[in-house]
Amino acid sequence: NSQHLSAKRSAFVCAFLLAAITVDGFQSFRAPFASSSIMSARATPLSSRPRVRGGTQSIGTIKMVASPRIESEEPSESIVEGPFEGEFGTWFVYKHDAAEVLTYRASLLVAALSVASGAALASFPSLLSTPPPPAWSFDVCAGLFLASFGVSLSTIHIYMKPLHDMLKVLWTSGVVGALAVIAADPSHSLVLSTVQHPVQLLGSGWVFVALTGLFFKEFACFQRWEASALFALVPIITGGHFLGLLDSGAEGAMLDALALVFSFFAVRKFSQPLKADIGDKTVFEFLAQREAEAEAEAAAQQN
């Protein structure tokens, strides 16, 4: 029975990866033909857009007022990449920007390897006919995942600050819920307790909501198949387990697929240029400036 279950899991994972590779190959084949239509659908070329160093610029129907841009006082020796033309001026990637991006990518890799380690531990008994690993080994993987994913959320670049803050709140809620599960369960095991009692996801499951949000952001920015696959797999696995819709074979196969694709996603992040995970720094500067102006105006009104 265990060999049959392992075969089903392997077949599912192979089929999933084959489909994903096929989709990726189709997108790569289509890219040269789609690029011309994409370019024609874009707005005015970057070189002909008005640059805001101060004054007013209209974007669509929204008028954006920008104060004169303050040039960075970073020494030229700390420049890693650039210059790049942003929406509101020229920007560079500095050493501290590069360190933050590499921290983001490294923390994602640790999170992915933690999930892969947990999935491997769960597969060993059926694959190798060995006794089940101790419950604490799964909790170590879970702890590494929670910690590294928290680092990822603290170093990710998202233009919408409320969305970024919401992801952090979801992660914090999940960590607090996980600690509550550990404290309340007689076995004091987060993973074992959640496997046996899916309702425990009401405590720790908010972390997976935040993880789904991160994958959505990654797909929205870069349109990579692995991000879209992970965006679908995380809620299917957690929701299916919570509602009891998945049998152990399907759940294990999806967990294996999640571990493989997550690891591939994390490794592939290192192939992107640094500026890809930073975004347009002039937009961040503009939004921060607007927020500071709004806070100063509110403080002046109160006084």
Side-chain angles (χ1 to χ4, degrees):
N1 187 29
S2 62
Q3 291 180 348
H4 179 65
L5 184 62
S6 300
K8 287 175 62 179
R9 291 175 65 170
S10 301
F12 177 87
V13 172
C14 291
F16 179 84
L17 293 178
L18 179 61
I21 292 171
T22 302
V23 171
D24 190 41
F26 174 73
Q27 289 178 342
S28 300
F29 173 78
R30 189 184 61 175
F33 303 97
S35 60
S36 58
S37 61
I38 292 174
M39 291 300 296
S40 63
R42 285 178 178 169
T44 309
L46 186 65
S47 59
S48 61
R49 292 181 189 172
R51 293 288 162 212
V52 175
R53 297 293 191 272
T56 304
Q57 178 185 15
S58 294
I59 299 179
T61 58
I62 302 175
K63 183 173 288 187
M64 306 179 77
V65 181
S67 300
R69 184 170 179 269
I70 301 175
E71 295 297 330
S72 174
E73 297 180 356
E74 295 271 0
S76 59
E77 292 81 5
S78 66
I79 295 175
V80 177
E81 291 181 357
F84 303 108
E85 283 298 319
E87 192 66 39
F88 301 108
T90 303
W91 61 278
F92 297 86
V93 176
Y94 296 102
K95 288 182 179 178
H96 64 85
D97 297 318
E100 193 170 55
V101 170
L102 293 177
T103 300
Y104 170 66
R105 295 176 181 179
S107 61
L108 279 178
L109 181 60
V110 174
L113 294 178
S114 301
V115 173
S117 298
L121 288 172
S123 302
F124 282 163
S126 59
L127 293 175
L128 305 177
S129 300
T130 58
W136 61 261
S137 61
F138 293 101
D139 289 335
V140 169
C141 295
L144 286 174
F145 164 75
L146 291 174
S148 56
F149 180 46
V151 174
S152 300
L153 290 181
S154 67
T155 52
I156 192 174
H157 288 74
I158 300 178
Y159 291 129
M160 297 176 61
K161 190 174 183 294
L163 176 60
H164 193 182
D165 292 341
M166 183 185 70
L167 294 179
K168 292 179 181 178
V169 169
L170 289 169
W171 176 84
T172 303
S173 301
V175 171
V176 172
L179 294 175
V181 169
I182 294 173
D185 188 74
S187 66
H188 300 296
S189 173
L190 172 63
V191 177
L192 180 63
S193 175
T194 305
V195 169
Q196 295 175 345
H197 308 287
V199 70
Q200 304 283 27
L201 281 173
L202 289 175
S204 60
W206 304 108
V207 169
F208 300 109
V209 179
L211 184 63
T212 304
L214 183 144
F215 291 142
F216 174 79
K217 178 266 177 189
E218 286 288 335
F219 176 73
C221 291
F222 307 115
Q223 290 80 48
R224 290 190 165 181
W225 69 263
E226 60 268 32
S228 62
L230 292 167
F231 174 70
L233 277 172
V234 173
I236 290 175
I237 294 172
T238 54
H241 180 70
F242 178 73
L243 298 174
L245 300 178
L246 301 175
D247 60 36
S248 59
E251 194 170 287
M254 288 187 179
L255 180 60
D256 292 342
L258 174 66
L260 289 172
V261 179
F262 194 1
S263 299
F264 176 75
F265 162 82
V267 170
R268 198 180 181 198
K269 287 294 295 177
F270 287 91
S271 66
Q272 294 180 273
L274 294 173
K275 71 182 183 72
D277 280 326
I278 295 175
D280 187 342
K281 286 177 66 175
T282 67
V283 173
F284 284 106
E285 291 175 3
F286 174 79
L287 294 175
Q289 188 179 69
R290 294 290 288 172
E291 183 178 1
E293 291 173 355
E295 292 176 354
E297 184 178 351
Q301 291 177 352
Q302 290 178 355
N303 297 331

